[in-house]
């Protein structure tokens, strides 16, 4: 085990995180709300994120809605997350 192994793991981890993040961003901006995804805890749905784009204020979180709760920026609490 050398320093090369550490770099390989970092590259792999960065690649996996980048792929997952891009898939999530595509989901948020596709305009379609998949019914099975909002059941994943702390993950924003496309509908939740669309509300941010339509009002230009609030719902700033795009990966997890917990920060909108923490900072009081969640709008329209009737939307299903």
């Amino acid at each position: 085990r050398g320093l090369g192994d550490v770099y390989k793991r970092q590259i792999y981890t960065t690649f996996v995180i980048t792929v997952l993040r891009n898939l999530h961003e595509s989901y948020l901006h596709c305009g379609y709300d998949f019914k099975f995804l909002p059941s994943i805890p702390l993950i924003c749905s496309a509908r939740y994120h669309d509300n941010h784009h339509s009002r230009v204020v609030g719902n700033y979180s795009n990966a997890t809605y917990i920060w909108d709760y923490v900072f009081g920026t969640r709008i329209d609490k009737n939307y299903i997350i």
Side-chain angles (χ1 to χ4, degrees):
R1 291 197 173 234
L3 202 51
D5 290 336
V6 173
Y7 289 137
K8 287 177 187 175
R9 277 182 266 172
Q10 284 180 326
I11 290 170
Y12 175 76
T13 302
T14 301
F15 175 77
V16 169
I17 290 171
T18 301
V19 167
L20 291 175
R21 182 70 176 145
N22 285 334
L23 287 172
H24 186 251
E25 285 296 320
S26 296
Y27 161 64
L28 287 179
H29 293 98
C30 75
Y32 184 77
D33 212 7
F34 297 103
K35 297 300 178 197
F36 60 91
L37 288 176
S39 63
I40 300 172
L42 302 177
I43 300 295
C44 291
S45 67
R47 186 174 181 190
Y48 182 84
H49 192 69
D50 284 346
N51 198 14
H52 159 72
H53 284 290
S54 67
R55 297 189 186 189
V56 193
V57 294
N59 289 7
Y60 297 114
S61 301
N62 63 352
T64 175
Y65 57 84
I66 193 71
W67 296 115
D68 286 322
Y69 282 114
V70 170
F71 294 108
T73 56
R74 182 168 180 227
I75 52 175
D76 199 352
K77 296 178 180 15
N78 295 325
Y79 270 145
I80 298 170
I81 295 175

